[in-house]
Amino acid sequence: MESWDSTAPQQRLPVSLLTGFLGSGKTTVLNHLVQQPELAKTIVIINEFGEIGLDHELVERSSEGMLLLQSGCLCCTIRGDLIDTMRSLFLRRVKGEVPEFDRVVIETTGLADPAPILHTLMTDPLIAARYRLDGVITTIDAANGQRTLDRQAESVKQAAVADRLLLTKTDLVEPDAVSALTQRLSALNPGAPIIHTINGTVDPAKLLDAGLYNPKTKSLDVRRWLNAEAFSAKDHHHHEPHHDHGHSVHHGTDSHDHHHDVNRHDDHIRAVCLTLDDPIPGDAFDRWLEALLLLKGPDILRVKGIVNIQGLKGPFVFHGVQHIFHPPVMLKKWPGKDRRTRIVFITRDLDEAVLRNTLKTFTTEPENVG
C-alpha cells in the first residue's frame, strides 16, 4: 500500500469544484465569492459553454483569454483540456507571468457530471503533484430543487458527491418546502453540511477548506473531513448488527407527490457508513477494495474512510470517486481515541448488505478468497 507524506498537502494548491444544475445559482454565488478578500489570490476557471457569467463591473482588464478581477482574482475560460489549462497556469505562476495565486475554483457547466474533473485531479501525475482537491460545492435551487432532482439524474449525482451543499433562493419558497428539500438532501448525502444563501451571499469560510488538510491547524483533520457521525445520526432509528451503521435512503418526509414515485433518481442512492471495531489485515482490505471497484466501481459515487490496519501504529485515510482513488494518506498516529475503521459510502443501486458482507468475508476469512 502506497504511503504519502502527510506534510505534502500544504505544498499543493487547493482546488474547489463549484457545480450545480442549470439555473441553480452557481454564477451568482461565484460573483459574490470573487469579491471577498479570502479569494484575492484565487484563479477561477470557468468550464462553461458560452460567455463568462461574471458581472462586467467586477472585471478590471482582460488579456490573452484571462480576466483580472478587481479583487485580485484571475479568471480564465477553458479553451482546450482542463489538464493543459491547469498545467499552463501553474507554469505561468512559477515564471511570474500571472500574479501568484494560492487557490483554484473551477465552475463546471450545469449539465456536467463532476466525476471526470475529480478523476483528472486525482490521476494526472503533474496535476496531482501541484494541486489537491479541497472539496466539491454543489448549488441546489430551493425553488426548483425537488423537480430537478426528480427529473435530472446528473443533478442527483452532483449533490451526492458534494462536500458542501449550497441551498440557493431560499427566500423565494415557503419554509416547509425548504425543510422538505433539506431533509431530502440530508438523506442523499448526510456528510455534506447544507448551507443556505440568498442572492449568492455566503461566507467563504463555510465553503472553502473542506478537504482533509486544515490550513487553520496546518494538519490533517480527519474527523471534520470524514464526518462519519452524520451518517450514524441519520441511522438512530435503525440498528444494524456486526457494529455496522448504515442508512438506507427513504423519503417519507417529502411531499406526498414524491413519496410513491419509484422512478425518483435518488431512490437509487444509498448513504452508508461501515464501522469495524477490530484492526483489518492490510492485504485482505486491499483485495476487498480492488474486487469492489472491479465489480461495482461506477456505482460507488464517493467513498471516504479511515482504516485501522493490523500492525500499524497509525491509520490510513483514503477517498475516491467511482473507480479512481487518491493514494492513501498514512497517519503517524490516530487523530483521537476512536480507533475503529470507519468508511462512508455514497452508492447507486448497491445494497448496503453487499458492502458489509463482502468486507466481512474478505477480512475474516481470507483463506477462502480466490
Side-chain angles (χ1 to χ4, degrees):
M1 185 170 293
E2 184 179 357
S3 63
W4 198 10
D5 183 358
S6 61
T7 64
Q10 61 188 299
Q11 308 299 329
R12 291 174 288 130
L13 300 175
V15 179
S16 297
L17 183 62
L18 178 60
T19 187
F21 210 71
L22 292 170
S24 62
K26 293 190 306 298
T27 302
T28 303
V29 169
L30 193 59
N31 277 322
H32 168 77
L33 288 176
V34 297
Q35 299 179 68
Q36 307 310 306
E38 293 89 340
L39 276 79
K41 298 178 68 176
T42 296
I43 183 78
V44 179
I45 299 175
I46 309 291
N47 185 22
E48 185 70 86
F49 299 114
E51 297 294 322
I52 291 180
L54 294 174
D55 291 339
H56 292 296
E57 57 266 27
L58 301 179
V59 179
E60 190 170 283
R61 63 182 175 85
S62 176
S63 63
E64 299 180 18
M66 186 171 296
L67 304 177
L68 178 61
L69 307 182
Q70 291 176 357
S71 63
C73 279
L74 286 171
C75 179
C76 71
T77 52
I78 294 181
R79 293 181 173 178
D81 186 75
L82 176 62
I83 293 177
D84 292 339
T85 299
M86 296 185 71
R87 286 178 178 176
S88 173
L89 286 170
F90 192 89
L91 184 60
R92 294 177 68 181
R93 176 181 182 268
V94 171
K95 291 180 177 180
E97 296 177 359
V98 299
E100 185 169 332
F101 55 91
D102 57 15
R103 182 183 299 277
V104 178
V105 174
I106 302 173
E107 182 190 7
T108 73
T109 169
L111 298 173
D113 177 354
I117 297 178
L118 298 176
H119 293 169
T120 294
L121 297 175
M122 293 180 186
T123 58
D124 182 79
L126 292 177
I127 298 297
R130 293 165 174 80
Y131 302 93
R132 60 179 169 85
L133 175 64
D134 180 63
V136 179
I137 305 162
T138 299
T139 54
I140 306 288
D141 177 356
N144 298 300
Q146 294 277 20
R147 286 189 295 273
T148 303
L149 290 170
D150 285 345
R151 298 172 182 176
Q152 306 292 343
E154 289 306 329
S155 72
V156 175
K157 192 170 183 181
Q158 290 169 351
V161 303
D163 297 286
R164 299 287 185 269
L165 289 167
L166 191 55
L167 202 57
T168 65
K169 308 178 187 178
T170 53
D171 57 321
L172 303 181
V173 296
E174 295 296 327
D176 286 350
V178 175
S179 177
L181 179 57
T182 298
Q183 291 181 36
R184 182 174 182 177
L185 292 171
S186 183
L188 178 65
N189 187 347
I194 299 175
I195 302 157
H196 292 197
T197 176
I198 297 175
N199 296 326
T201 301
V202 61
D203 181 358
K206 293 183 178 181
L207 300 182
L208 306 176
D209 301 325
L212 180 58
Y213 177 70
N214 186 343
K216 293 181 180 178
T217 61
K218 295 183 166 46
S219 63
L220 301 181
D221 191 342
V222 177
R223 180 172 179 174
R224 173 184 63 92
W225 170 78
L226 188 62
N227 199 15
E229 295 86 354
F231 287 74
S232 297
K234 299 300 175 187
D235 189 49
H236 66 276
H237 63 284
H238 181 59
H239 178 70
E240 290 289 340
H242 309 299
H243 303 287
D244 293 323
H245 303 282
H247 177 64
S248 296
V249 179
H250 301 287
H251 300 285
T253 56
D254 287 348
S255 56
H256 66 277
D257 57 327
H258 292 117
H259 182 62
H260 297 293
D261 183 1
V262 296
N263 296 315
R264 287 178 66 200
H265 299 292
D266 49 337
D267 281 340
H268 297 269
I269 306 297
R270 297 291 180 268
V272 177
C273 180
L274 299 183
T275 305
L276 295 176
D277 293 334
D278 299 324
I280 302 173
D283 55 346
F285 182 81
D286 283 347
R287 288 199 301 270
W288 171 70
L289 199 57
E290 289 173 5
L292 191 63
L293 295 179
L294 181 63
L295 297 174
K296 297 292 185 179
D299 296 320
I300 300 173
L301 303 183
R302 193 90 190 261
V303 59
K304 302 178 181 180
I306 181 169
V307 183
N308 188 346
I309 295 294
Q310 287 180 1
L312 297 181
K313 291 184 178 180
F316 82 84
V317 178
F318 74 102
H319 71 103
V321 177
Q322 293 179 314
H323 60 287
I324 303 296
F325 275 72
H326 261 299
V329 180
M330 309 299 297
L331 302 186
K332 295 179 181 179
K333 61 180 181 179
W334 282 85
K337 294 182 179 180
D338 192 346
R339 305 297 174 89
R340 295 174 302 165
T341 291
R342 283 151 285 160
I343 309 172
V344 297
F345 286 93
I346 305 290
T347 66
R348 177 179 55 205
D349 292 325
L350 184 55
D351 192 345
E352 176 189 340
V354 172
L355 297 171
R356 181 175 59 245
N357 294 337
T358 54
L359 176 59
K360 182 180 179 181
T361 298
F362 274 79
T363 55
T364 61
E365 302 176 82
E367 67 275 7
N368 294 332
V369 179

